[in-house]
Short mmCIF file of all heavy atoms in Angstrom, two decimals:
data_model
loop_
_atom_site.label_atom_id
_atom_site.label_comp_id
_atom_site.label_asym_id
_atom_site.label_seq_id
_atom_site.Cartn_x
_atom_site.Cartn_y
_atom_site.Cartn_z
N ASP A 1 22.57 115.37 135.63
CA ASP A 1 23.36 114.82 134.53
C ASP A 1 24.71 114.27 135.03
O ASP A 1 25.12 113.16 134.64
CB ASP A 1 23.61 115.89 133.46
CG ASP A 1 22.39 116.14 132.61
OD1 ASP A 1 21.44 115.32 132.65
OD2 ASP A 1 22.37 117.14 131.87
N ILE A 2 25.40 115.04 135.86
CA ILE A 2 26.73 114.56 136.30
C ILE A 2 26.62 113.37 137.24
O ILE A 2 27.45 112.47 137.23
CB ILE A 2 27.59 115.70 136.90
CG1 ILE A 2 26.96 116.30 138.17
CG2 ILE A 2 27.85 116.80 135.86
CD1 ILE A 2 27.88 117.27 138.88
N ALA A 3 25.55 113.38 138.06
CA ALA A 3 25.33 112.22 138.94
C ALA A 3 25.02 110.98 138.11
O ALA A 3 25.53 109.90 138.37
CB ALA A 3 24.18 112.49 139.91
N THR A 4 24.21 111.16 137.07
CA THR A 4 23.86 110.04 136.18
C THR A 4 25.11 109.49 135.48
O THR A 4 25.28 108.28 135.37
CB THR A 4 22.81 110.49 135.15
OG1 THR A 4 21.65 111.01 135.84
CG2 THR A 4 22.38 109.34 134.24
N GLU A 5 25.94 110.38 135.00
CA GLU A 5 27.20 109.96 134.35
C GLU A 5 28.07 109.13 135.31
O GLU A 5 28.66 108.12 134.94
CB GLU A 5 27.98 111.18 133.89
CG GLU A 5 27.34 111.90 132.71
CD GLU A 5 28.05 113.22 132.41
OE1 GLU A 5 29.04 113.53 133.11
OE2 GLU A 5 27.58 113.95 131.53
N ASP A 6 28.13 109.57 136.56
CA ASP A 6 28.95 108.86 137.55
C ASP A 6 28.38 107.51 137.89
O ASP A 6 29.13 106.51 138.03
CB ASP A 6 29.09 109.71 138.83
CG ASP A 6 29.88 110.99 138.59
OD1 ASP A 6 30.57 111.09 137.53
OD2 ASP A 6 29.80 111.90 139.42
N ILE A 7 27.06 107.41 138.03
CA ILE A 7 26.45 106.11 138.34
C ILE A 7 26.59 105.18 137.13
O ILE A 7 26.80 103.95 137.29
CB ILE A 7 24.97 106.27 138.75
CG1 ILE A 7 24.85 107.14 140.02
CG2 ILE A 7 24.33 104.91 139.00
CD1 ILE A 7 25.72 106.66 141.18
N ALA A 8 26.52 105.71 135.92
CA ALA A 8 26.74 104.90 134.73
C ALA A 8 28.16 104.33 134.74
O ALA A 8 28.38 103.15 134.42
CB ALA A 8 26.51 105.73 133.47
N ALA A 9 29.12 105.16 135.14
CA ALA A 9 30.52 104.69 135.20
C ALA A 9 30.66 103.61 136.28
O ALA A 9 31.42 102.64 136.08
CB ALA A 9 31.45 105.87 135.50
N ALA A 10 29.96 103.77 137.38
CA ALA A 10 30.02 102.77 138.45
C ALA A 10 29.44 101.44 137.97
O ALA A 10 30.01 100.37 138.23
CB ALA A 10 29.28 103.28 139.69
N VAL A 11 28.29 101.51 137.29
CA VAL A 11 27.66 100.27 136.78
C VAL A 11 28.56 99.61 135.74
O VAL A 11 28.71 98.37 135.76
CB VAL A 11 26.28 100.62 136.17
CG1 VAL A 11 25.70 99.41 135.44
CG2 VAL A 11 25.33 101.08 137.28
N ALA A 12 29.18 100.40 134.87
CA ALA A 12 30.10 99.82 133.88
C ALA A 12 31.28 99.15 134.58
O ALA A 12 31.73 98.06 134.14
CB ALA A 12 30.60 100.91 132.93
N PHE A 13 31.75 99.72 135.67
CA PHE A 13 32.84 99.14 136.43
C PHE A 13 32.41 97.81 137.04
O PHE A 13 33.15 96.82 137.03
CB PHE A 13 33.29 100.11 137.52
CG PHE A 13 34.56 99.72 138.24
CD1 PHE A 13 35.79 100.07 137.74
CD2 PHE A 13 34.49 99.01 139.43
CE1 PHE A 13 36.96 99.70 138.40
CE2 PHE A 13 35.65 98.66 140.11
CZ PHE A 13 36.90 98.99 139.57
N VAL A 14 31.20 97.79 137.60
CA VAL A 14 30.66 96.55 138.19
C VAL A 14 30.54 95.47 137.11
O VAL A 14 30.97 94.31 137.33
CB VAL A 14 29.29 96.80 138.85
CG1 VAL A 14 28.67 95.47 139.32
CG2 VAL A 14 29.43 97.77 140.02
N ALA A 15 30.00 95.82 135.97
CA ALA A 15 29.83 94.86 134.87
C ALA A 15 31.21 94.32 134.43
O ALA A 15 31.35 93.12 134.13
CB ALA A 15 29.11 95.49 133.71
N GLY A 16 32.21 95.19 134.44
CA GLY A 16 33.56 94.76 134.03
C GLY A 16 34.23 93.84 135.01
O GLY A 16 35.17 93.13 134.66
N HIS A 17 33.79 93.89 136.27
CA HIS A 17 34.37 93.05 137.32
C HIS A 17 33.40 91.98 137.82
O HIS A 17 33.62 91.37 138.88
CB HIS A 17 34.82 93.90 138.51
CG HIS A 17 35.99 94.80 138.19
ND1 HIS A 17 35.86 95.95 137.46
CD2 HIS A 17 37.31 94.69 138.48
CE1 HIS A 17 37.04 96.54 137.33
NE2 HIS A 17 37.95 95.79 137.94
N ALA A 18 32.33 91.75 137.06
CA ALA A 18 31.26 90.86 137.53
C ALA A 18 31.77 89.46 137.85
O ALA A 18 31.47 88.92 138.93
CB ALA A 18 30.16 90.81 136.47
N ALA A 19 32.53 88.89 136.96
CA ALA A 19 33.01 87.51 137.19
C ALA A 19 33.89 87.45 138.42
O ALA A 19 33.79 86.51 139.22
CB ALA A 19 33.78 87.03 135.97
N GLU A 20 34.72 88.47 138.62
CA GLU A 20 35.63 88.52 139.78
C GLU A 20 34.87 88.57 141.07
O GLU A 20 35.29 87.97 142.08
CB GLU A 20 36.52 89.75 139.62
CG GLU A 20 37.44 90.01 140.79
CD GLU A 20 38.17 91.36 140.63
OE1 GLU A 20 38.20 91.90 139.50
OE2 GLU A 20 38.70 91.86 141.63
N TRP A 21 33.72 89.26 141.06
CA TRP A 21 32.96 89.43 142.30
C TRP A 21 31.80 88.43 142.44
O TRP A 21 31.00 88.52 143.36
CB TRP A 21 32.37 90.84 142.35
CG TRP A 21 33.42 91.92 142.35
CD1 TRP A 21 34.73 91.80 142.70
CD2 TRP A 21 33.22 93.30 141.98
NE1 TRP A 21 35.38 93.00 142.58
CE2 TRP A 21 34.49 93.96 142.14
CE3 TRP A 21 32.14 94.05 141.56
CZ2 TRP A 21 34.67 95.30 141.88
CZ3 TRP A 21 32.31 95.41 141.28
CH2 TRP A 21 33.55 96.02 141.45
N GLY A 22 31.70 87.47 141.53
CA GLY A 22 30.61 86.51 141.60
C GLY A 22 29.27 87.08 141.24
O GLY A 22 28.23 86.67 141.77
N VAL A 23 29.27 88.03 140.32
CA VAL A 23 28.04 88.72 139.91
C VAL A 23 27.71 88.36 138.47
O VAL A 23 28.60 88.24 137.61
CB VAL A 23 28.21 90.26 140.04
CG1 VAL A 23 27.10 91.00 139.37
CG2 VAL A 23 28.31 90.64 141.52
N ASP A 24 26.42 88.19 138.17
CA ASP A 24 25.95 88.06 136.81
C ASP A 24 25.65 89.48 136.29
O ASP A 24 24.78 90.16 136.81
CB ASP A 24 24.67 87.20 136.77
CG ASP A 24 24.18 86.93 135.36
OD1 ASP A 24 24.49 87.72 134.45
OD2 ASP A 24 23.44 85.94 135.18
N ALA A 25 26.37 89.91 135.28
CA ALA A 25 26.23 91.29 134.78
C ALA A 25 24.85 91.57 134.23
O ALA A 25 24.44 92.75 134.12
CB ALA A 25 27.29 91.56 133.70
N ASP A 26 24.07 90.55 133.89
CA ASP A 26 22.72 90.73 133.41
C ASP A 26 21.70 90.76 134.56
O ASP A 26 20.50 90.85 134.32
CB ASP A 26 22.35 89.63 132.44
CG ASP A 26 23.15 89.70 131.13
OD1 ASP A 26 23.42 90.85 130.69
OD2 ASP A 26 23.51 88.65 130.57
N ARG A 27 22.20 90.63 135.79
CA ARG A 27 21.31 90.62 136.95
C ARG A 27 21.72 91.71 137.95
O ARG A 27 21.83 91.46 139.15
CB ARG A 27 21.34 89.24 137.60
CG ARG A 27 20.70 88.17 136.72
CD ARG A 27 20.73 86.77 137.35
NE ARG A 27 20.04 85.83 136.52
CZ ARG A 27 18.72 85.58 136.56
NH1 ARG A 27 17.98 86.23 137.47
NH2 ARG A 27 18.15 84.70 135.77
N ILE A 28 21.95 92.88 137.42
CA ILE A 28 22.29 94.02 138.24
C ILE A 28 21.05 94.90 138.42
O ILE A 28 20.45 95.38 137.45
CB ILE A 28 23.42 94.88 137.61
CG1 ILE A 28 24.70 94.04 137.49
CG2 ILE A 28 23.70 96.13 138.45
CD1 ILE A 28 25.83 94.73 136.75
N VAL A 29 20.65 95.05 139.66
CA VAL A 29 19.47 95.84 140.03
C VAL A 29 19.93 97.22 140.50
O VAL A 29 20.91 97.33 141.23
CB VAL A 29 18.67 95.14 141.15
CG1 VAL A 29 17.51 95.98 141.63
CG2 VAL A 29 18.21 93.77 140.67
#
């Protein structure tokens, strides 16, 4: 559970910075 919560936070952080990093937030694998 705590690992899942942390990875969810990481993914949310990536989605929030997607444009800055040249990432499409809908194309996160």
Side-chain angles (χ1 to χ4, degrees):
D1 284 347
I2 63 172
T4 303
E5 291 171 3
D6 294 344
I7 299 307
V11 171
F13 189 86
V14 174
H17 291 77
E20 176 187 343
W21 299 340
V23 168
D24 184 336
D26 293 324
R27 293 179 175 273
I28 299 175
V29 175

